[in-house]
Each structure stands twice: as structure tokens, then as C-alpha cells.
Amino acid sequence: MTDDAFDWVQFLRRWQDEWVPSKDEAEELADGGLTLAELAVAVPPAREAEIVAAEERLGTRLPPSYRQFLGASNGWRLDGGSIYRLGGAHEIGWFGDPFDMTSMYEQGLTERSTEQEVRLAGMWRRALQLETDSDMSYALLDPGDTDEEGEWALYVYKGWSGETPDRYPSFRAYMRRMYQDFHADRAGIPGFANDTTRALDADVERARDEALSGRWETARELLTEAERYGRPRARGMLAQLDAVAHGSRYYGFGELVADARYTGELIPVMAAARLRDERSDRPSRGFPLGAETGDGVTAAAEEVLDRVRDRTYRYAPDGAFGRAVAEAWESARWGDTDTAWRVIRAALPSWSPPGPDLLAPLGLLADSVLGPVVTRERGLELLATPRAGRTGPMPEPVPDLDPPGLCWLADTPRRNLPYDSYRCLWVEGVEPEAMAGLVGEEGGAGLTAPPRRRDGWFQHGTRQRDDLEPWEDRAVVAVGRTGSGWAFGCDTAPRASAAGSFFVSPASAASGDGRAVVLWLRRTHDGGLTVFHLSVAERGEELYAFTLRGTDVERSGPVPAALDPDRVLDGVGQDDRERRLLAAVQDELGLSLPRHALVEGILPQLTTRSWNRAPRQGEAYAYATVRVRTR
């Protein structure tokens, strides 16, 4: 927008007409400390001769938007923020950098500094100072930071903050933001209503319909503008879109959290966001909701926080959508997150909000099983899907996340999976719950919820329990089900040992009525393959096994030709050895693992019996314990 298209007279008149005292000003007026005349924001316009005289005194032509402003009002009173008054044409002058800010900013420049950082360092000595009253703050127009329309950037420096100045691309942009702040400061005052607030409230209602119709980007634009003006409902709706789109780390939903209709959807998401970076050994105290709430909502919030923390919270909406969520949960809990998402996606049109201001089924995000299923891409697909009775075009489905088979284990960069070593057990034709009886430690807790971990953190090792013998090696496996009907347990952080002389494959014990397969792989720090063990048993008896160490192979039983490492690795380079072996196992035995569920920590855990046997008489072993103490 050029300045000629911006009507300063109309804009400032509207601002003056809408002006009402803030809460603090109203108290001072009531006490007699101020008069309405002292609180006037507008000033009579400057004559063209006054503006020209100022330009001659300064030796430059003023930027367009500021020049037009002076022609509409020769100064302005700002009753919010740290700038209190903008001077008239006869009061402005060059800043001159009286505090030598230039030297301080130039000292921070390096060869990697951006063009904007270099401009900011030089701004202080060339800037034009506009304010005449402030809280140790300065409004500075920079003639060295201009755009194609000849506008100068405006910087607001709060001298007491120690922060980098706030930058606005022009004086017009600064004044529009101050006008928005003026509205936001008064949005909660009873009776503050005018043409601007009514138009913005209509935009909020339109945004609601756009969001439910799948046009969430249009809704976001409308809500972003309304939120800047502090309009009720806008902040809560905008935060919902950001949460589903994974566009924000903290989700505060404004006054919506005080409405009991939304407690089951919004508060769990707030709890999950709060706990995401919480240290497990230092639980957070209290649960600020960001709005005044009744005792019932506050108590419910604390109870939800506890359930989200211990991973017992489960999203359970009503109706047809609720039934689909329950079905999806059963698929995702054992690792089939792709099927879970397809079920949710198909049911989205049937979702109906419990109140008019809820835009999406946000409770999904807080469920420890289903939350990780809704990735950013799937969140955007959800937002683009018409729901709550709306109709419209459906978005293109997001591709499935899980690659088939096992080869992805070799392809995944170590920065994404902490697998220097991994070991897995598959049992054919049994349900995952049966794994506890087949290989679980005696007297153990059975399947347990996966531990909560800080966002983006992986478990890179396990510490031997104090109640175990030094030779014992009890795996902690994530338990699930493959698409071909095998129950599995996968340990992504086994102890440093790997299929040594005391190792006893659990395949035989697990294969009571069918087949069981054990796979154990260990890599070097640079990703090379050092150990690869495979053992297959059926009905309690081992059928065959081999352990590959470097180029040496130990075999027992008739290893099928399709799995024999000499044949599989014939002519294969070092970098492809793991992939070739995994491909042979997946093709011959029909095995797979769900990448997404393992990476996101969705699956329940089981502590198994030891994978090592006790040393026999005359057998020696050694171990070392290293303890690190911090001061």
C-alpha cells in the first residue's frame, strides 16, 4: 500500500472518536488527577510551511508516511507502551547517539553478521528522533533503512530493557500497530464497542466457519488480525489452529479454558505442552491456565495434568467420531499408526464440537498413544478437512509413515534413531499381551506404559539394576504387533554386550505353539556392522541360528540358503551389509517393525528374562562398574 492510498485524516479521526480512557486513566479521572483535555490524543495538523521548515532545518525530506501524518496531526499522544508522545514538526531532531550505542553494536559485528545487523549498528548516529515524552525509550526513524516507497524503518528502543530495538518497516506500520495495541488494551472494558470492534467480531465468526469448512489458512489470517486487536475468542481459536498445525510450543487458549464445555479438549493439550520439556525428576508445581476459572475447572485441570503426566489420559469423545477414535487407539497402541490415522481421517467429517468455539478435536494431541499419530503433516490434513456438518473438497491424503519390512533400520540416520545396537524378538500368531508370559521376567510388572521423555530426547543406554546379578542382561523391549500377525518386542538401547558366550536366545522359550525369531545387531561408532545374530525356533526347539562377527560366521542347524550370510553378503560392500541381511530376513520370514511408533515411544514396555545364562562352574567372567558423581 502506498502512502497516497492511506487516508491519515480518516484513520486518526477514527482513532480519536473511538478513544476511551484505559482502566488506569479512568481511575485518575475519577480521582481528579487528570482531565479529559489532558488525555486528548489528536493534535491540530501542521501546515505545509511548517513541514517544509522542519525539512530545511534537518537537511532532508521526511519519509512519505510520516510527512502525511504531520499534515493530519502535528504530533500524537500514545497512552500505551513506553512511548508517551510523538512530537510535532517543530520538535523533532537528529538523535545523534548520545549514549554511543554505535560502538557497542559495532563490537558485536562479525564476518557472519547479516545486512540488517550492520544497518542497525549504524542506525544510532543517523536516526531521526520523534518522541518527546517516554519511559526511557526512543522512537527513531532510520534514513539508512529504506524501502522501494521511500519509507524509513522506525525503531523503538527501550533503554531500560537491554533488548534489541523493535523494528517497524515504516512510520505507518508503527502507528497501525499502536492502534491495534490501543484496541487490545481496552478490549476487556465493558461497553467498548464501535465500528472497528463490530467488524472484527464479524471476522471472528466468519473465521470459525472458514476453519470448520477446511479453509483454515483463511481463518488464520482473519483470526491473526482480530487477535492483534484483542478481540474475545480470537486468541483461543488461533491457538487451536497453531496447536493442530504444530506451529507453537506453548498453547494458551485464553478465556476458553474457563468454559467447562472445552475442558476435556483444551486442558489436556495445555498439560501435554507444559510437560513436554519438564524434567522427570523435577515435576512442575501448579498448572497456570492463563484465565480466571472456577474451582471445578481448576480441580479438573490438576487431575488431567496428573493423567497426562503418567500417560493414563485417553481421549474419548462421544458419538461416531468417538467410536472411530477408540478403534484407532487399538491400532496405534500396538504400532499400526498408519491404520490409526486412516480411521481418524475417515471419521473427521462426523466430528462435532461440544461448543461453538472449538475448531478441531484437540484432545487427540494429548493422548499418549494417538497424539504422536497426528504429525504436523497430518495436523494440516485435519485442518483442511471439512467437519462439524460442513461440506467441501477433501484434502489429498498424507502418505503413510511406516516403510515396509526392516530395511529402514539400516537407512535411518543415527541422529534420528539412537541405534548403535538393537535386538528384537518376534513371536508368530500370539497377541502382544502374551509376550509377558512367554519372555517376561518372573514376578515382573508385565506390560507397562512407556516412560515419558523430554521432547526430542532418546534413551541411549540402560543402567543395570542393582537387584540383578552382574552377568544378567534383561532387555527392556517395546511391545507391539506387525501387520502380518507377529507379536514383537524391540530393545533399541541394549547393554554394550552382544550375543556373547553366555548368550541364550529367547526364541526357543517364546515359540511354544509356533515360530519365534530373535535378531541382534551391533554397529561400530561409524555405522559399520560388527555383530549380526539371527535365531529361529519353533514349538520350543531351535531350528537354526547364526552369528556373524566381521567375516566369521558361527552356525547351528540348517540355515536356509536365502538367509545364509555367505550367500547374502557375496560381493556386498561394508556399507550395505546390514541392509542386505535385513532384507533377507524380512523377505524370508515376513517380519517388520513400525518405525513411527518406535521413534515416538508409543508402545508399552516389557522387561524380559535375562538373555544371558549364569556362568557355569569353571567359567570366568569380568565386569566393571563406573559411577560418575557430580558436585
Side-chain angles (χ1 to χ4, degrees):
M1 176 189 295
T2 65
D3 201 61
D4 291 340
F6 188 83
D7 192 330
W8 278 98
V9 173
Q10 183 183 40
F11 171 68
L12 297 176
R13 181 182 296 132
R14 181 172 71 249
W15 192 341
Q16 177 66 74
D17 291 344
E18 293 172 349
W19 184 87
V20 296
S22 65
K23 292 180 179 179
D24 291 341
E25 290 168 339
E27 291 178 2
E28 290 195 62
L29 286 171
D31 294 339
L34 285 174
T35 66
L36 280 174
E38 292 175 310
L39 293 177
V41 294
V43 177
R47 299 187 303 275
E48 177 65 18
E50 293 178 280
I51 299 174
V52 171
E55 291 175 331
E56 291 177 350
R57 173 171 55 85
L58 298 169
T60 187
R61 183 173 177 83
L62 297 173
S65 65
Y66 182 60
R67 203 176 193 281
Q68 291 287 337
F69 160 77
L70 292 174
S73 181
N74 195 22
W76 195 261
R77 189 181 70 83
L78 297 166
D79 57 1
S82 60
I83 302 294
Y84 302 153
R85 184 176 180 276
L86 298 173
H90 60 290
E91 296 173 297
I92 59 176
W94 298 112
F95 182 55
D97 193 12
F99 311 114
D100 196 21
M101 301 294 291
T102 302
S103 297
M104 182 178 71
Y105 274 76
E106 285 181 343
Q107 288 175 3
L109 296 178
T110 68
E111 59 184 13
R112 290 179 294 181
S113 296
T114 66
E115 183 179 348
Q116 177 57 38
E117 289 171 336
V118 174
R119 277 199 299 264
L120 178 58
M123 181 270 296
W124 307 95
R125 291 176 182 167
R126 62 177 179 255
L128 184 64
Q129 183 175 356
L130 304 186
E131 91 293 334
T132 59
D133 188 16
S134 70
D135 179 14
M136 294 179 60
S137 299
Y138 307 92
L140 306 174
L141 278 173
D142 182 11
D145 187 353
T146 63
D147 63 14
E148 62 278 3
E149 297 175 11
E151 293 290 356
W152 302 2
L154 186 144
Y155 292 85
V156 174
Y157 175 61
K158 305 176 184 69
W160 41 264
S161 71
E163 299 173 353
T164 301
D166 296 327
R167 180 185 181 276
Y168 303 86
S170 67
F171 178 78
R172 177 179 66 243
Y174 169 70
M175 288 295 281
R176 292 188 68 176
R177 177 56 59 87
M178 294 304 101
Y179 176 63
Q180 292 167 346
D181 290 349
F182 152 75
H183 266 269
D185 288 343
R186 288 157 173 78
I189 296 177
F192 181 65
N194 47 61
D195 289 345
T196 301
T197 62
R198 285 186 283 272
L200 289 166
D201 290 343
D203 283 346
V204 170
E205 191 58 34
R206 177 189 162 202
R208 172 181 175 272
D209 191 68
E210 294 284 336
L212 294 175
S213 300
R215 296 182 290 272
W216 71 275
E217 291 173 301
T218 300
R220 194 179 191 283
E221 292 177 2
L222 293 167
L223 292 171
T224 298
E225 182 72 1
E227 194 269 341
R228 288 173 179 162
Y229 284 81
R231 298 316 304 154
R233 305 169 63 204
R235 176 188 171 192
M237 289 187 182
L238 186 62
Q240 293 176 53
L241 299 182
D242 281 343
V244 179
H246 293 243
S248 175
R249 297 286 297 177
Y250 170 74
Y251 307 118
F253 299 101
E255 68 279 0
L256 291 186
V257 299
D259 191 326
R261 291 176 295 178
Y262 309 124
T263 301
E265 296 276 357
L266 302 183
I267 289 180
V269 179
M270 296 177 67
R274 180 172 179 80
L275 297 175
R276 189 176 293 123
D277 294 320
E278 178 189 77
R279 289 181 51 173
S280 58
D281 59 336
R282 295 181 184 177
S284 57
R285 296 181 178 179
F287 185 11
L289 298 177
E292 293 185 9
T293 60
D295 292 341
V297 171
T298 302
E302 292 293 342
E303 190 266 338
V304 167
L305 180 66
D306 289 340
R307 286 196 290 139
V308 173
R309 179 183 281 117
D310 62 20
R311 301 177 72 97
T312 59
Y313 169 77
R314 183 169 173 180
Y315 181 53
D318 297 328
F321 185 71
R323 292 189 291 274
V325 167
E327 179 184 347
W329 193 89
E330 287 298 326
S331 293
R333 70 179 295 210
W334 300 124
D336 192 356
T337 57
D338 288 332
T339 293
W341 176 246
R342 288 194 290 271
V343 171
I344 291 171
R345 178 173 61 201
L348 278 173
S350 70
W351 175 78
S352 182
D357 291 344
L358 196 70
L359 303 181
L362 264 73
L364 279 169
L365 305 178
D367 190 301
S368 61
V369 171
L370 292 178
V373 172
V374 188
T375 62
R376 183 179 186 277
E377 292 74 20
R378 288 170 171 172
L380 297 178
E381 183 182 2
L382 186 158
L383 292 176
T385 301
R387 51 202 179 275
R390 272 54 172 193
T391 58
M394 300 294 286
E396 189 72 21
V398 173
D400 287 349
L401 293 176
D402 281 337
L406 301 173
C407 289
W408 64 267
L409 289 163
D411 296 337
T412 304
R414 290 180 60 220
R415 66 177 179 274
N416 292 333
L417 285 177
Y419 298 170
D420 290 335
S421 175
Y422 54 86
R423 54 184 170 184
C424 307
L425 166 68
W426 291 265
V427 182
E428 189 176 26
V430 303
E431 290 301 311
E433 293 95 337
M435 295 289 281
L438 294 172
V439 296
E441 62 178 349
E442 294 182 5
L447 298 186
T448 60
R452 188 170 57 85
R453 64 192 182 194
R454 295 177 67 186
D455 192 38
W457 285 57
F458 295 98
Q459 183 179 0
H460 282 265
T462 56
R463 179 178 176 270
Q464 179 81 330
R465 287 183 357 215
D466 293 335
D467 63 328
L468 302 181
E469 295 292 337
W471 51 265
E472 288 192 87
D473 182 11
R474 303 194 187 189
V476 179
V477 296
V479 175
R481 182 196 298 118
T482 72
S484 55
W486 295 69
F488 70 83
C490 185
D491 179 7
T492 61
R495 296 178 64 191
S497 61
S501 57
F502 296 157
F503 166 67
V504 177
S505 171
S508 295
S511 61
D513 295 320
R515 288 185 300 171
V517 179
V518 166
L519 173 67
W520 193 336
L521 181 143
R522 181 167 175 76
R523 299 186 184 120
T524 61
H525 289 297
D526 59 1
L529 182 64
T530 59
V531 178
F532 188 98
H533 169 84
L534 177 72
S535 50
V536 180
E538 186 171 5
R539 299 185 183 278
E541 298 291 335
E542 184 179 277
L543 299 179
Y544 56 87
F546 72 82
T547 302
L548 171 70
R549 290 185 175 89
T551 57
D552 297 330
V553 182
E554 300 173 8
R555 295 179 176 84
S556 63
V559 178
L563 294 173
D564 189 282
D566 288 340
R567 176 175 177 178
V568 173
L569 298 179
D570 184 30
V572 176
Q574 181 67 31
D575 292 343
D576 290 331
R577 285 158 60 86
E578 179 182 354
R579 161 180 268 280
R580 287 296 185 91
L581 289 166
L582 291 173
V585 172
Q586 74 179 26
D587 294 344
E588 178 70 11
L589 300 173
L591 300 179
S592 62
L593 286 173
R595 180 176 62 184
H596 189 64
L598 288 170
V599 171
E600 294 296 333
I602 295 174
L603 302 172
Q605 290 189 328
L606 172 69
T607 300
T608 73
R609 294 189 285 273
S610 176
W611 290 40
N612 282 342
R613 61 170 174 80
R616 300 188 180 108
Q617 186 173 3
E619 290 182 328
Y621 69 94
Y623 68 93
T625 300
V626 179
R627 298 186 185 276
V628 179
R629 293 184 178 180
T630 58
R631 301 176 108 182

